[in-house]
Amino acid sequence: MRDSWESELFLGHSDSCDQEAEVLGLDWDEYADVAVRVQLLDRWLYEDSPDAPAILTDLRTDQQDTGVTPEALTKNGLFRVIAPQSRMRREPRDYRVLTVPEAASIVERALLDWGGTPSQRVVLLAADLRETIISEGQEAVLVTVADPVTNTVMEDETHVVVSGMAWAAPVIRISVVPRPEGGELLDPACSFAACSSGVRLTPEEHGLAEARLRAICAGTVLAALLECDGRAAFKVGWQAHGIDPGHHCDLVTVRAWWETTAWHDQYYDDHIDVYYDYGAGDWGGRHAHLFPGPEQLDDEFDGDAPGQHCLVLGDPAEPTTDIWVVGDGMRPLDTTTFLAEIEALRRAGRDQTTAGQLVDFLLDELLTRPLERVGGPEHRMVVWADADGTGTFWRTDEEIDVYDDARRLLVVGPSEALYIVFRGEMGA
């Protein structure tokens, strides 16, 4: 079985691209810290002003003690393609050794001092990126580059390479450059995964793919701010559902569609598998007692797959118990209860972290913007969640419960469906 924490399964990358990508196969939490912040910053900068610079990154995982000479930096591929959509290429010419805090501050200044007025969300996330680089990097260099076509040294660009991040001594490049013009509509997951070239999308496909990647990135940053260690993260699915117009509120129709989705079959990976494979080693390992038995799922559980009850979308007419437990199905939530819970999550996130308003901006990307797209301003959507009787699904009292079992959220609108799993630490 493939580990559902591999990066390609977070990105949905393998659904459309068969290229060899640098980061695929890595555990999501082994490399994503810098990349997800860079992705969000780049989009937020552009929304502040189309004249704002771009911030881009690339990761090489197979570089062991290759050094940071211009020759080594060229060989390892970090500067092969700076901006995949526009095919921007650069050639390393020289470098200057920095401390990691110096490198992190240089990146932050390049983001904030370009001449415009950065928004508060950019300022907050740029500071968080600086702290992330400082906490995870070991060595850093500032690289001078040239355009290989014109041989011109690019004085207005900032390229920092940091090694020894949170992984087995790879190197990561962080670049702040004038925003490239034009370019192809490539799958943003391909760009994120550092493919040699990317899958081309239609404008409609690209808009959905970019919105989904932004939600994934925001959830990953939010999980870090909540100090979710181990395997905790927000795992996001988002797709056009294909349900006939006007039938997205029909329970029979949605249930039939739900059974055809890949999400329907991921319960084992998202709720069960982690119980015994995180540190357990085998079924007899030290965490094997965490694996839920048949009585915790339902009578159809056979030891190899979960029973069917946990996969059923609840009927609004059915009574619900107060506390959701592993093995229960998703429960319907009326729109008012659901939106009230989103605001409660917002308050809990602010109180639970030192990030303040950055939590608001991240929840906007993870939930508010997706909900506006899926359900429109009128909130034409139906909602199911692994929710307690009060409507809470990632929250206990006034806190987001990072230690709880994984809980699901499904939102179905007129044309698209959003599916998010918050996988608690679950034995980590």
Side-chain angles (χ1 to χ4, degrees):
M1 180 187 304
R2 305 189 75 172
D3 185 354
S4 62
W5 283 85
E6 287 184 1
S7 58
E8 66 181 281
L9 296 180
F10 259 78
L11 294 173
H13 178 273
S14 59
D15 295 341
S16 57
C17 181
D18 59 0
Q19 298 177 61
E20 185 71 22
E22 176 66 23
V23 299
L24 299 185
L26 290 180
D27 285 347
W28 182 252
D29 57 359
E30 284 189 344
Y31 83 96
D33 285 346
V34 168
V36 294
R37 288 163 172 80
V38 166
Q39 176 72 21
L40 279 179
L41 275 167
D42 183 63
R43 305 321 301 149
W44 290 356
L45 282 163
Y46 180 76
E47 288 173 350
D48 283 357
S49 171
D51 297 326
I55 178 169
L56 308 163
T57 189
D58 195 359
L59 170 74
R60 300 289 127 175
T61 62
D62 56 355
Q63 306 304 309
Q64 300 290 335
D65 300 322
T66 58
V68 292
T69 65
E71 293 77 14
L73 291 171
T74 299
K75 184 178 180 181
N76 67 27
L78 278 175
F79 290 87
R80 187 176 300 128
V81 179
I82 299 295
Q85 287 86 350
S86 62
R87 308 299 183 194
M88 178 191 289
R89 307 171 75 89
R90 291 294 181 260
E91 184 178 277
R93 291 293 176 85
D94 199 0
Y95 69 94
R96 177 164 60 93
V97 176
L98 306 170
T99 67
V100 172
E102 285 175 334
S105 294
I106 285 173
V107 170
E108 183 183 32
R109 289 198 301 271
L111 291 172
L112 303 182
D113 296 344
W114 58 274
T117 303
S119 61
Q120 186 178 15
R121 62 180 180 174
V122 166
V123 172
L124 292 171
L125 189 53
D128 186 61
L129 173 62
R130 182 195 67 231
E131 293 303 316
T132 301
I133 295 171
I134 291 172
S135 66
E136 298 183 356
Q138 294 179 356
E139 298 178 317
V141 294
L142 179 65
V143 183
T144 301
V145 303
D147 184 330
V149 177
T150 64
N151 207 34
T152 303
V153 174
M154 310 307 293
E155 301 286 355
D156 59 344
E157 298 183 359
T158 299
H159 300 272
V160 166
V161 174
V162 183
S163 64
M165 302 296 290
W167 325 284
V171 289
I172 189 167
R173 170 185 53 76
I174 307 164
S175 300
V176 181
V177 301
R179 187 165 298 276
E181 296 181 1
E184 302 172 286
L185 289 179
L186 301 180
D187 188 336
C190 290
S191 300
F192 191 95
C195 292
S196 56
S197 58
V199 174
R200 293 169 178 80
L201 300 178
T202 66
E204 293 77 15
E205 293 171 333
H206 186 270
L208 177 55
E210 175 142 321
R212 178 177 177 272
L213 180 56
R214 288 174 65 152
I216 292 170
C217 292
T220 304
V221 178
L222 180 59
L225 295 178
L226 292 170
E227 299 184 353
C228 296
D229 295 325
R231 295 178 174 245
F234 292 87
K235 187 176 178 184
V236 181
W238 193 350
Q239 67 182 37
H241 52 56
I243 295 173
D244 289 340
H247 288 268
H248 71 283
C249 292
D250 178 70
L251 179 61
V252 174
T253 300
V254 175
R255 278 179 168 175
W257 162 80
W258 166 246
E259 293 178 359
T260 69
T261 67
W263 305 331
H264 179 271
D265 298 327
Q266 289 174 2
Y267 193 90
Y268 185 89
D269 289 338
D270 289 329
H271 290 71
I272 309 303
D273 188 41
V274 67
Y275 275 85
Y276 66 89
D277 79 346
Y278 192 82
D282 54 47
W283 284 94
R286 56 191 170 91
H287 292 293
H289 67 281
L290 295 173
F291 188 84
E295 69 281 358
Q296 292 175 276
L297 294 174
D298 63 48
D299 293 337
E300 297 180 43
F301 181 76
D302 61 8
D304 294 319
Q308 295 303 305
H309 177 66
C310 56
L311 303 178
V312 172
L313 300 181
D315 187 331
E318 296 174 351
T320 61
T321 56
D322 287 339
I323 303 298
W324 178 91
V325 296
V326 173
D328 285 350
M330 283 192 283
R331 300 170 177 178
L333 293 179
D334 66 74
T335 304
T336 301
T337 300
F338 174 56
L339 296 178
E341 175 63 6
I342 299 302
E343 291 310 304
L345 283 168
R346 191 179 297 277
R347 293 192 298 272
R350 285 197 299 261
D351 293 342
Q352 200 167 332
T353 72
T354 60
Q357 196 173 353
L358 181 56
V359 170
D360 288 337
F361 296 128
L362 295 171
L363 278 173
D364 286 344
E365 293 284 350
L366 178 66
L367 288 171
T368 305
R369 288 175 59 132
L371 293 176
E372 289 175 352
R373 171 167 173 149
V374 170
E378 305 87 3
H379 298 123
R380 294 178 297 149
M381 56 194 183
V382 286
V383 181
W384 285 267
D386 290 331
D388 298 330
T390 58
T392 61
F393 45 87
W394 295 329
R395 189 173 58 88
T396 299
D397 297 326
E398 298 305 317
E399 293 186 346
I400 298 175
D401 192 350
V402 301
Y403 299 104
D404 198 7
D405 302 308
R407 295 209 186 193
R408 301 163 291 177
L409 169 67
L410 174 68
V411 182
V412 182
S415 61
E416 295 177 354
L418 178 71
Y419 180 67
I420 303 178
V421 180
F422 179 42
R423 296 176 51 151
E425 292 191 18
M426 301 174 65

